């Protein structure tokens, strides 16, 4: 009597009752054969065509994918919103019958504060990190709390400036069957010295806790935070970015204590149990790094794939 | 071009894109005149007809109310589910044209663990509180993360054994325009000594932090918790339950540090910013008491209404 397909809104029962048995919702290593639904969440300060093209290349069936975006209330955000909506409409247009459609697309315009300037040197300055990361945490939470449905099996956090991933990204990452799993985010660049195209590590938020990291944390005031990737605060935490082995097995897993959000696959149950992105210091960590700690407090293990590369834009 | 009414699923756009501007979502002291949408969330281990009758008596328009329930995967839960569905269907039946309908009803069957026995003496035993409250926290989070929409202005947490509230409960509580606001939960009983009907305090989870409470917390191990309302652990925290003044103004507010979940009005933004129910010790607090602490860490104030009574069932 109730529609089995929660996406089929036209068929939602006239009584507007929907009934879900969370026991029957799976998140397994065979996501595709179980038709598990994946929610891709992207906070988006700027729209990059390469991000969108990469998203459209993903081989997981679009009818099993929901998209959620949150754009800041800034002039950058307004431009991103216009470009995003134009791109979405081309795909989702009911008249474009041959283009497969995403199950649902939700676009949110943020109500909380955002930083106007998004120049890389500004946003990476250590002193602006606490405020910025805390605002990012709030944006991620707004997006998550508002879009997660009772039928979502997996949440893929994918930053708007991730421009290249394997086409089987979703199958590959769900295949590991981990509660939380981070890909290794690198960047393409032109090596002026060697005069050739090359790659270098980009995201330093995927790390393993160190004795020194714990020692520093134990000496901090309650409201102080550690953000990884700054040499002024040497934690000696092993960073997944440095574990990449071009010759190694791309399926190698390593256990992590902190994660970044550039490309992060999360079983929806982890979020549903309460794991969010703290915008306040949580064990001296915030945002995605605080999320990893929270997932661990909720009893889940956190992993990364050092040899599985995805690429950040190089502007 | 997009449906303005998110409840009108039949009118969801053919492209399945929905666009929400969180800036335009309000949660004000005039909820009704702004047509603000309220999500009533109830974890339900047993179905009480008096709870349902009280819910149906609320005067806030049903088309502005969504309901969400989560029932445990126990034999009690199965029975509650059957009774709940029967009750819902009577109201939501499209053929019963004269009965106003709730905008949406979501019923979840819990996948996480639940305690089989719900005898009051068992569930209130101090030693079983940590496990029980932690399971309740997970149930509340599953319900919250799964049902909160981009158009929800307020979330009213209402326990399934709250059997009597003022009919203007929603207007009254939103009228205070507080981020988090708890009603005072008492209980009717027959006073055998005085041979008359009487009332007594029930929910001790609404409290103000005390020096002694802070002192005890500072001496606890990281993983130990304080649950309020047990004389074996005397925190001397002022309890809102004891502040009731039958002659007093029902609109009197008091600032709180811990809250219970029996009848709790929350601006959706508080949850959307990330406030959830920790199932692990958070500043030595869990579940609704931990939620209050988290709301405060997120920068919100927490209040209670000592003279505004609602009643818990007396079994
Ligand atoms: N909604 C929202 N998204 C943002 C904001 N700032 C950055 N983003 C997006 O969040 C992601 C991470 O931010 P980014 O600036 O790339 O971080 P970085 O690459 O670590 O320097 C990207 O997808 C950005 O487009 C913001 O204030 N609000
Ligand atoms: N989903 C779910 N609801 C529960 C569970 N245990 C209790 N409840 C409901 O949660 C609310 C609070 O629990 P209750 O036992 O009344 O707590 P107390 O009144 O403080 O002893 C009530 O609405 C119960 O029906 C559980 O394991 N799962
Ligand atoms: Mn980036
Ligand atoms: Mn109760």
């Amino acid at each position: 009597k109730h529609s089995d397909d929660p996406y089929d809104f036209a068929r939602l029962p006239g009584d507007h009752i929907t009934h879900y048995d969370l026991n029957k919702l799976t998140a397994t290593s065979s996501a595709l054969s179980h038709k598990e639904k994946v929610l891709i969440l992207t906070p988006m300060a700027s729209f990059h065509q390469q991000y969108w093209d990469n998203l459209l290349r993903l081989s997981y069936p679009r009818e099993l994918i929901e998209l959620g975006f949150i754009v800041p209330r800034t002039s950058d955000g307004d431009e991103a919103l216009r470009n995003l909506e134009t791109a979405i409409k081309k795909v989702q247009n009911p008249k474009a019958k041959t283009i497969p459609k995403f199950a649902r697309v939700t676009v949110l315009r943020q109500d909380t504060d955002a930083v106007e300037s998004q120049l890389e040197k500004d946003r990476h300055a250590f002193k602006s990190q606490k405020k910025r990361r805390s605002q990012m945490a709030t944006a991620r939470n707004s997006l998550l709390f508002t879009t997660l449905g009772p039928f979502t099996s997996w949440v893929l956090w994918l930053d708007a400036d991730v421009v290249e991933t394997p086409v089987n990204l979703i199958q590959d990452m769900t295949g590991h069957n981990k509660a939380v799993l981070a890909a290794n985010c690198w960047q393409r660049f032109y090596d002026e010295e060697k005069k050739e195209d090359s790659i270098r590590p980009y995201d330093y938020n995927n790390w393993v806790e160190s004795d020194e990291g714990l020692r520093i944390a134990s000496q901090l005031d309650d409201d102080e935070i550690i953000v990884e990737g700054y040499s002024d605060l040497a934690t000696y935490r092993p960073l997944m970015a440095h574990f990449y082995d071009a010759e190694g097995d791309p399926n190698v897993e390593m256990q992590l204590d902190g994660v970044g959000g550039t490309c992060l696959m999360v079983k929806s149950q982890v979020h549903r149990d309460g794991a969010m992105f703290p915008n306040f210091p949580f064990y001296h960590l915030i945002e995605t790094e605080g999320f990893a700690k929270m997932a661990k407090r909720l009893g889940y293990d956190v992993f990364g794939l050092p040899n599985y590369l995805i690429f950040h834009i190089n502007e």
Side-chain angles (χ1 to χ4, degrees), chain A:
Chain A
K1 54 201 173 337
H2 294 153
S3 166
D4 273 344
D5 179 0
Y7 293 106
D8 192 351
F9 292 99
R11 278 175 44 212
L12 247 198
D15 53 8
H16 285 192
I17 310 171
T18 45
H19 183 151
Y20 301 97
D21 192 341
L22 295 177
N23 295 288
K24 295 194 183 134
L25 183 71
T26 63
T28 64
S29 61
S30 328
L32 181 54
S33 60
H34 290 114
K35 302 206 161 125
E36 290 167 2
K37 292 174 170 100
V38 180
L39 173 64
I40 303 183
L41 294 182
T42 301
M44 181 176 279
S46 4
F47 176 85
H48 300 289
Q49 190 60 44
Q50 306 99 296
Y51 159 88
W52 187 253
D53 293 342
N54 183 72
L55 184 73
L56 294 189
R57 271 194 300 270
L58 296 183
S59 61
Y60 204 76
R62 285 194 200 149
E63 76 251 27
L64 298 177
I65 299 180
E66 284 199 354
L67 303 177
F69 300 92
I70 188 161
V71 296
R73 190 182 43 171
T74 59
S75 44
D76 286 357
D78 291 339
E79 197 192 320
L81 187 59
R82 277 192 301 275
N83 293 329
L84 174 64
E85 295 230 303
T86 307
I88 295 173
K89 278 179 188 155
K90 263 188 221 154
V91 176
Q92 298 295 98
N93 182 353
K95 286 178 194 154
K97 292 218 169 68
T98 57
I99 309 178
K101 309 283 179 258
F102 293 102
R104 193 172 200 186
V105 184
T106 305
V107 182
L108 301 179
R109 191 153 173 272
Q110 201 175 321
D111 54 347
T112 49
D113 287 339
V115 186
E116 264 291 342
S117 164
Q118 293 287 337
L119 291 178
E120 181 154 344
K121 70 169 172 34
D122 293 342
R123 66 181 200 247
H124 284 184
F126 181 71
K127 63 173 169 40
S128 59
Q129 278 283 310
K130 185 171 172 179
K131 192 172 169 206
R132 207 183 92 75
R133 296 283 304 272
S134 148
Q135 290 171 346
M136 281 301 308
T138 312
R140 289 189 194 276
N141 288 334
S142 295
L143 184 55
L144 171 65
F145 277 72
T146 301
T147 56
L148 188 71
F151 39 79
T152 314
S153 289
W154 300 88
V155 177
L156 174 64
W157 290 94
L158 190 66
D159 273 355
D161 41 22
V162 169
V163 290
E164 188 187 332
T165 70
V167 294
N168 294 325
L169 179 73
I170 295 177
Q171 295 89 321
D172 290 348
M173 291 194 78
T174 54
H176 286 267
N177 200 19
K178 296 295 184 203
V180 180
L181 186 70
N184 201 356
C185 179
W186 278 45
Q187 187 175 50
R188 296 194 186 279
F189 75 110
Y190 183 73
D191 190 329
E192 297 286 355
E193 248 169 57
K194 297 192 181 154
K195 305 282 179 220
E196 63 185 25
D197 288 332
S198 186
I199 59 173
R200 63 189 171 201
Y202 185 84
D203 187 350
Y204 294 120
N205 289 328
N206 299 301
W207 45 261
V208 183
E209 191 52 281
S210 65
D211 289 346
E212 185 60 11
L214 289 172
R215 204 191 56 78
I216 294 174
S218 74
Q219 295 180 338
L220 292 178
D221 280 350
D222 256 16
D223 266 348
E224 288 182 304
I225 59 164
I226 306 180
V227 281
E228 196 45 65
Y230 293 87
S231 51
D232 18 348
L233 198 71
T235 58
Y236 304 103
R237 286 170 177 162
L239 306 180
M240 182 167 80
H242 296 147
F243 280 65
Y244 171 59
D245 173 3
E247 314 292 312
D249 176 356
N251 290 318
V252 167
E253 301 165 353
M254 67 186 280
Q255 207 148 1
L256 296 176
D257 295 295
V259 296
T262 45
C263 182
L264 186 69
M265 184 67 82
V266 182
K267 289 197 182 189
S268 67
Q269 163 115 42
V270 179
H271 285 310
R272 223 176 261 121
D273 278 3
M276 50 75 170
F277 300 91
N279 77 7
F280 52 84
F282 181 69
Y283 293 81
H284 306 291
L285 301 169
I286 57 170
E287 210 223 348
T288 56
E289 295 169 287
F291 162 77
K293 182 67 189 179
M294 197 168 284
K296 295 185 83 144
R297 291 298 282 124
L298 290 163
Y300 294 101
D301 283 330
V302 175
F303 286 87
L305 299 175
N307 297 335
Y308 192 83
L309 293 191
I310 55 113
F311 293 94
H312 191 276
I313 203 167
N314 184 1
E315 292 175 300

